[in-house]
Amino acid sequence: MIEIIISLLVLLGGFLSLLGAIGIVRFPDVYGRLHAATKSATLGVISTMLAVYVHFHFVEGLFSGKVLLTILFVFLTAPVAGFMIARSAYNVGVELWDQSTQDDLKKAFEKKAKAKKARS
């Protein structure tokens, strides 16, 4: 039974990583590609690492704190890194896809500029 769970987690991780790779190739702009890379690839890595943890814990009888720390580290850092890359891309002027309908960051920057102008 435990081998089935491990196999399903590995397959899920591989499938999510494949979806992330397809998203990187298929999405039209850097922001969509970052979305695909951070969301699905993060979940794919976490699923695979969870399979590793389950294998070591239930099959080998070992507690692997390093694997749990890896899961926590990937879960915390990958979305933040994607966010920071997207924000940096926006700050240097990388355009949104021409069919994008919403630009929340533009509104936030305009609001921040107005507040800064009012203070000075």
Side-chain angles (χ1 to χ4, degrees), residues 45-73:
V45 168
I46 288 174
S47 295
T48 305
M49 293 307 295
L50 194 58
V52 169
Y53 175 76
V54 169
H55 171 77
F56 278 117
H57 189 73
F58 292 107
V59 176
E60 302 289 330
L62 299 171
F63 178 78
S64 181
K66 291 178 184 176
V67 175
L68 290 178
L69 285 176
T70 302
I71 292 171
L72 181 68
F73 181 74

Side-chain angles (χ1 to χ4, degrees), residues 17 27-28 39 41 71 76 79 85 92-93 96 118:
S17 297
F27 281 140
K39 301 277 186 196
I71 292 171
L76 292 177
I85 292 170
V92 298
L96 293 173

